[in-house]
Amino acid sequence: MTYKPRFFKAINLTVSFLFFAFLVVGFIFICSDAEYNLNQQMARGYITSDAVFFDFDNPAIKPYGYGDDVTYSDGRNDKTALQQKEYDPDFVLRNKVLDDGVTSVEKLLTSSDSDYFAALHMNTMRAVCYKGELSLPPVISGRFFTEAECLSDNNYAVVGKNFEEGIYKEGDKSYYDFLGRKYEVIGITGISSKSAMDSIIFVNLGSLMPEEQLNGIYYIDCAADNKAVYEDVAKNSRALFGCNLKNRKTPIAFIDIASGKMYMKNYLFVIIVSLMIFAYVNTLIQYIERHRLKISIMKLCGAKLCKIIKQTGKAYIIDCIAGILTGIILLLLLLYNGVFALEYSYVVNVIIGLSEASLCFAIIGFLVFSFFVVKADPQEIIRQV
């Protein structure tokens, strides 16, 4: 008679370990992926891999082969397609100052209602504007621009650590000479270790002359859907500039070549989630199977359903809670020791989210178990035994 209690104890331990593993594996996967993406973003100069790059489809620039017969190696003639492209040699792309005081570029880049980060990208310079609550480029001292400062005509700069030697003081303010004028340095961007951020200068878009705002390419980033924001912005291009926008390929960074974009692909996420669901369902089935006989005997003895559920399901709930609490304690220790170089609030939210998901799975399991208790036919179960 001592074998079954030990066996049930082992089954209950499996339940605890399952929920413990769900928290720990989920935490490590999510935070590792977030840290990897953050490192890649930093290596590109705080640009994510799904940022949308674009510039103006200037009609004054003659398309290659326009008006000529262009025949490819497969014999296909592309003259018609080329002639369909817009071409106006007299067109002049202008960045007008509008009645409300902003330029056409500023109006264009802020024309979507979403929260997003937009910038003019030219070599190591980023002339930025953004809307809403976003995760902004990190600073090791000072601060980043406010949303209102982005379109201000005051000259503000947030410079990388490699430019610190050129910073000078005037009174209680710091300045850096850039683009032939003086910029007030309000922050130093970068992280604790060396990164591409050290060689980047962020300036507010409003500090550039209207003609300077046309030099370079633009990108939209950090939105829930960068492509959707780009499409919103592109709708206003013809009204503001008389021409359309065109997509540009995302510049390839060294980190993209080194990683091959293989780490944490979607299929890996699907595999891990599938394995966790399989383990959850299998453990729940085994738990039910090991209690079938006990449930049948209690039913035959006239025990009430609520008493049967309480007697047989109590251990399941206890072990679920034990596994969840043990997992939370370990995750808090990992948070305290700073295992992942992520924002404190982000890691806390991951722990809270995983804990809530674990509790939901525990409740679902208990409801499934209770449903089995109600529907179980004791005579059929005993006959099978």
Side-chain angles (χ1 to χ4, degrees):
M1 296 297 293
T2 59
Y3 175 77
K4 285 187 177 180
R6 290 179 181 176
F7 185 79
F8 285 129
K9 186 176 181 180
I11 291 294
N12 293 342
L13 182 61
T14 302
V15 173
S16 295
F17 180 77
L18 173 68
F19 282 89
F20 172 82
F22 175 80
L23 279 166
V24 175
V25 173
F27 178 80
I28 292 175
F29 182 91
I30 293 172
C31 291
S32 296
D33 187 43
E35 186 176 58
Y36 173 79
N37 290 333
L38 179 62
N39 289 336
Q40 283 200 319
Q41 186 176 2
M42 293 296 182
R44 297 188 194 95
Y46 206 76
I47 299 174
T48 65
S49 59
D50 60 349
V52 177
F53 282 77
F54 60 95
D55 63 2
F56 296 101
D57 192 8
N58 192 337
I61 300 175
K62 183 178 180 180
Y64 174 76
Y66 182 88
D68 302 322
D69 286 326
V70 179
T71 304
Y72 294 93
S73 57
D74 59 0
R76 179 168 48 90
N77 187 289
D78 204 40
K79 178 179 178 180
T80 303
L82 285 169
Q83 287 180 334
Q84 289 175 349
K85 290 188 177 182
E86 185 179 12
Y87 176 52
D88 180 3
D90 298 323
F91 179 85
V92 178
L93 183 66
R94 292 187 176 90
N95 183 23
K96 300 176 182 177
V97 178
L98 306 177
D99 294 338
D100 55 2
V102 300
T103 65
S104 297
V105 167
E106 294 167 0
K107 187 77 170 181
L108 180 74
L109 295 183
T110 58
S111 58
S112 176
D113 294 329
S114 303
D115 294 348
Y116 62 97
F117 187 94
L120 169 66
H121 183 296
M122 186 176 68
N123 299 322
T124 59
M125 184 196 75
R126 311 283 191 272
V128 306
C129 62
Y130 67 89
K131 298 180 68 175
E133 296 294 328
L134 299 174
S135 179
L136 298 173
V139 292
I140 55 177
S141 64
R143 61 178 179 84
F144 201 73
F145 316 116
T146 65
E147 184 176 339
E149 287 173 337
C150 288
L151 299 184
S152 168
D153 56 5
N154 294 325
N155 299 337
Y156 296 116
V158 178
V159 305
K161 291 186 289 186
N162 292 345
F163 299 98
E164 284 187 285
E165 291 183 359
I167 297 175
Y168 57 92
K169 286 274 191 179
E170 287 188 4
D172 58 347
K173 295 182 178 180
S174 300
Y175 293 93
Y176 184 83
D177 292 332
F178 185 59
L179 299 176
R181 49 187 174 270
K182 185 166 60 177
Y183 274 84
E184 180 186 349
V185 178
I186 61 173
I188 305 296
T189 186
I191 54 178
S192 56
S193 58
K194 292 183 178 180
S195 72
M197 302 291 290
D198 301 340
S199 301
I200 291 177
I201 296 181
F202 292 97
V203 300
N204 56 314
L205 182 63
S207 69
L208 300 184
M209 298 292 108
E211 59 274 14
E212 290 176 327
Q213 294 180 352
L214 294 174
N215 298 327
I217 60 176
Y218 310 88
Y219 68 88
I220 286 172
D221 201 7
C222 299
D225 187 344
N226 291 331
K227 291 183 178 180
V229 174
Y230 166 72
E231 290 173 359
D232 285 344
V233 169
K235 293 175 184 177
N236 302 294
S237 177
R238 181 161 288 277
L240 290 168
F241 295 93
C243 65
N244 298 321
L245 301 180
K246 62 179 179 180
N247 280 113
R248 293 284 294 269
K249 290 184 178 180
T250 302
I252 300 297
F254 177 77
I255 189 71
D256 297 314
I257 300 172
S259 66
K261 297 183 179 180
M262 289 296 295
Y263 184 73
M264 294 297 182
K265 274 189 172 277
N266 291 335
Y267 65 78
L268 181 58
F269 172 77
V270 172
I271 290 173
I272 291 178
V273 171
S274 299
L275 289 174
M276 294 301 294
I277 292 175
F278 174 79
Y280 170 77
V281 173
N282 184 64
T283 301
L284 182 59
I285 292 173
Q286 292 297 321
Y287 189 88
I288 292 173
E289 285 293 320
R290 299 304 173 183
H291 286 78
R292 290 171 76 240
L293 185 58
K294 183 178 181 180
I295 292 169
S296 300
I297 294 173
M298 293 181 71
K299 274 194 168 186
L300 290 173
C301 292
K304 294 182 179 180
L305 286 176
C306 59
K307 182 177 181 180
I308 298 174
I309 293 173
K310 181 179 179 181
Q311 288 289 331
T312 56
K314 180 173 64 175
Y316 175 81
I317 292 297
I318 291 174
D319 288 307
C320 287
I321 294 175
I324 293 171
L325 290 177
T326 305
I328 291 174
I329 291 172
L330 178 60
L331 299 191
L332 291 176
L333 289 173
L334 295 176
L335 172 64
Y336 177 78
N337 287 281
V339 174
F340 295 103
L342 297 169
E343 291 184 8
Y344 181 86
S345 59
Y346 176 84
V347 179
V348 170
N349 287 333
V350 171
I351 294 175
I352 293 173
L354 288 172
S355 301
E356 291 175 345
S358 298
L359 286 173
C360 288
F361 277 113
I363 293 171
I364 291 172
F366 181 74
L367 293 175
V368 171
F369 181 79
S370 301
F371 179 79
F372 172 79
V373 172
V374 174
K375 293 296 184 180
D377 184 351
Q379 295 180 351
E380 179 64 25
I381 292 173
I382 292 174
R383 187 162 48 249
Q384 290 177 1
V385 175

